[in-house]
Structure formats: structure tokens, C-alpha cells
Amino acid sequence: MRKMRLPAIIIYLFSMVCVFDAYSQASGTKPNVYIDYFNRPDDMSFNEAEQLRNSIMQALKETNRIDLIDVDSNKAIAIERERREAGAVADDDPERLKVMVQEGANYLIQGRITSWAVNQSGKKGKEFYDVVVNYNLKMINPNDGKVVNSQSFKVGGGLISEMISRDKKVRSKEEALMDACKEASYEIEHFIAVALPLEGKVLDMGKVKKDKVDNLYVNLGSNIGVKENDIFLICIQRNIGGEVANSEIGRVVIAAVEGGNVSLAKVKKGKKDIYNAINAGQNIVVRYVPKESNVNEKLERIVGRKFIGGRPVK
């Protein structure tokens, strides 16, 4: 890491005292997020709904962005199994939310399965089942009940199922539900990225050629789930009339995660603008860009094989 210039030192010191959000994710502190039982339709069993919830919980843990806590593990807020299997939900129970706050919850994720359908095709003995699940995920702040993010999803069926049928001619109902749950897990990274935007600071410039910066260091790393090839916007952040304004001046991709709170990023766009902004002492922030949905990646997660153009690689 090269020796920091004076403006870069000022930016670094500012980043040490600036609070990016309520839980200072840039310093590696993760929020405590509880996940509640899922509301389900009458024609879906408790175990079937739990299969979807468990898949989503695993995907939430894999983001490494939050400390996830299952309400079922906390006696103070768990609902008895008998009541849950009978369809009991506690979405809007203010007393229960109050207990969650006392237990240290920063956020709560609630799930509502609105509908599901099981379709069958193929001859007897060679049936191919398809399960389609519609559901909603909502993250709320239990302190005030405000919704942080709410998204509706549909998994199973459609193009994904059609492509799977080319690779797998026979599929049971249980396998079809499992595949739908795997597809659901793929959407979780985007849900968290929208609910809890990841923002950090430029620590210093790395390699510089004349008045252009080729790479730089940011104060985000493995502690908050940053990975190689993650994309970040480089923005000048200003306060205008009491409102925070971000002007994009470039884009970087993580080349190497070098520690819990430091990564090396390669500049893909705005090399000169970023160089000038840093040397001018501007308030520079880096903002994570959620990756777009990719059909081949979904298929790989579901089937466990690499796909290109919707077809398995031999």
C-alpha cells in the first residue's frame, strides 16, 4: 500500500468517525436479524412451509451480512410447535415485537406464502412434477414497526422448470419443492442488499498512472461478506439542504479481499475522476451494486451442475 497523501489521510480520518448506518457495517459490525415463522396457505403443511424457510435461512447466513437468529431458538418469542402446525402466526403482535427488541433484535424478517401449486406431466411411472410458490419477504424494524424492505417472489415453473426438465426427465413432488426452495435461496442476496445497503470508504489509492488511479483500497472486507468480483459504485457524497446526495463518478470491482475490513478494488470506470476527487479531499463513498439475476447461476444452484445458455455443460 502506497504512502497516503494529505487529502487521503483526511478522508481516512473522516471515515473513522462517520457513521454509515445504525450498525456501522463498514467496521464489520453486523445487525442482529431475527427470522419469524412463515405464514402459509391452508393447503400447505407446516413441514412444507418450513422447507422454504430453512432454505432461505441458509441463504441468509451465507451472505455473511447479518447475524441471523431463528425465533424458534429463543424461548421468549417462540410459538409452541402445536400452535405453529395449526397455522398460528404472530406477525403483528406488538408485545412480541417488544420482547424481540429486549432480546437484541435490530431487524425482523417475516415471510408470507400467499399461494402454491403442484403440477404434473409425463406418463405413469415417469412423472415430472412442478411446484410453483408465491411468497413475500418483509424486513421490519421491531423498534418502530417500519418496513425496511418488502419483496414478492415467484419460484418454480416457467423457464427454469422447462430447462430442468431437459436435464432431468423424472422429478417427484418432493424434489420439485426442493428445487423451488433452492431457487428461492438464490434471490436472498439481492433482498439483503436492498434492505441493508452496504456502504464504505476509500482508504487509499493503490496503483496510479499519472492522473489516473488503476486500483484502490476500501474499508470493506470479509467481516461483512465482501467477495471477489463484487461491484461497487464510487460516489461523491454531499449534504444538500439536509439531504444526502450521491453523485456517481466511477465503478470498481473487488480484486482481492485482504482482511476483515480491507479489500483491493480494481477501477473499471472513472479512473481520472476518482483520482481528482480523492486529491481534492472530496467525501468519497463506495456503494455495493446488487448483482442481477442470472438464469445459468440459478440452474447451477438448483441442479448442482454448470450451465451455459440454459444448457448443462458436459
Side-chain angles (χ1 to χ4, degrees):
M1 188 182 297
R2 65 195 292 274
K3 188 175 180 180
M4 295 176 68
R5 302 182 184 184
L6 181 58
I9 294 174
I10 294 172
I11 293 170
Y12 177 80
L13 292 174
F14 180 81
S15 71
M16 294 300 99
V17 298
C18 180
V19 178
F20 306 120
D21 60 29
Y23 305 100
S24 189
Q25 291 203 320
S27 67
T29 302
K30 303 173 189 176
N32 292 324
V33 180
Y34 277 73
I35 184 166
D36 214 339
Y37 311 114
F38 282 11
N39 195 324
R40 69 182 194 277
D42 293 338
D43 60 345
M44 180 179 246
S45 72
F46 168 75
N47 287 334
E48 288 165 337
E50 278 294 277
Q51 191 170 337
L52 177 63
R53 192 174 83 100
N54 288 335
S55 182
I56 288 173
M57 281 196 294
Q58 181 60 37
L60 285 166
K61 292 176 183 176
E62 290 174 359
T63 67
N64 200 26
R65 290 283 312 280
I66 61 176
D67 283 329
L68 186 69
I69 304 167
D70 185 357
V71 294
D72 207 32
S73 68
N74 190 315
K75 293 181 179 179
I77 51 181
I79 299 176
E80 297 83 355
R81 185 177 182 88
E82 292 79 8
R83 292 179 59 205
R84 285 187 279 126
E85 291 180 345
V89 293
D91 287 358
D92 302 312
D93 185 345
E95 291 302 317
R96 192 161 172 267
L97 291 180
K98 189 182 298 183
V99 174
M100 286 186 184
V101 174
Q102 294 171 352
E103 293 294 316
N106 301 128
Y107 296 104
L108 169 67
I109 293 176
Q110 296 174 331
R112 181 177 293 271
I113 303 169
T114 53
S115 65
W116 79 311
V118 180
N119 303 308
Q120 178 189 342
S121 60
K123 299 179 181 179
K124 186 176 181 181
K126 293 186 178 180
E127 295 92 346
F128 184 88
Y129 282 86
D130 195 17
V131 171
V132 179
V133 183
N134 293 282
Y135 65 99
N136 175 270
L137 290 180
K138 182 168 62 175
M139 181 182 284
I140 67 171
N141 184 335
N143 289 278
D144 52 21
K146 289 184 178 180
V147 176
V148 176
N149 187 26
S150 180
Q151 288 182 240
S152 294
F153 302 91
K154 178 182 178 180
V155 293
L159 181 63
I160 294 292
S161 182
E162 181 182 332
M163 290 178 173
I164 292 174
S165 68
R166 297 173 188 169
D167 186 63
K168 187 189 298 184
K169 302 300 181 183
V170 178
R171 183 169 69 168
S172 66
K173 174 186 171 182
E174 293 73 22
E175 289 174 325
L177 177 58
M178 185 182 301
D179 286 348
C181 291
K182 290 177 182 177
E183 184 180 347
S185 69
Y186 177 82
E187 308 291 348
I188 292 304
E189 184 176 347
H190 187 274
F191 176 80
I192 287 295
V194 172
L196 302 172
L198 183 57
E199 186 175 291
K201 289 285 183 178
V202 174
L203 292 175
D204 192 14
M205 290 185 287
K207 186 177 181 181
V208 174
K209 293 180 180 178
K210 294 184 179 179
D211 59 350
K212 295 180 180 179
V213 56
D214 284 340
N215 56 41
L216 47 81
Y217 293 90
V218 299
N219 68 338
L220 299 168
S222 58
N223 285 351
I224 203 64
V226 172
K227 305 181 295 296
E228 288 186 13
N229 299 318
D230 280 351
I231 298 172
F232 286 83
L233 301 179
I234 303 294
C235 302
I236 295 176
Q237 191 171 85
R238 295 175 294 166
N239 190 300
I240 302 175
E243 296 293 328
V244 176
N246 292 291
S247 301
E248 180 185 341
I249 60 171
R251 186 169 291 218
V252 301
V253 61
I254 300 299
V257 179
E258 299 192 357
N261 298 307
V262 61
S263 294
L264 177 66
K266 184 177 181 180
V267 180
K268 305 297 287 186
K269 178 183 175 184
K271 293 183 178 183
K272 187 171 183 177
D273 289 339
I274 295 171
Y275 176 87
N276 291 335
I278 291 176
N279 279 300
Q282 298 271 23
N283 180 26
I284 309 296
V285 297
V286 295
R287 310 187 77 197
Y288 176 66
V289 179
K291 67 178 181 181
E292 297 180 359
S293 182
N294 183 295
V295 172
N296 291 318
E297 288 182 1
K298 280 188 179 181
L299 287 166
E300 187 174 342
R301 179 179 288 247
I302 294 168
V303 180
R305 294 170 59 188
K306 189 175 181 61
F307 278 72
I308 296 178
R311 296 185 178 278
V313 176
K314 294 182 180 180

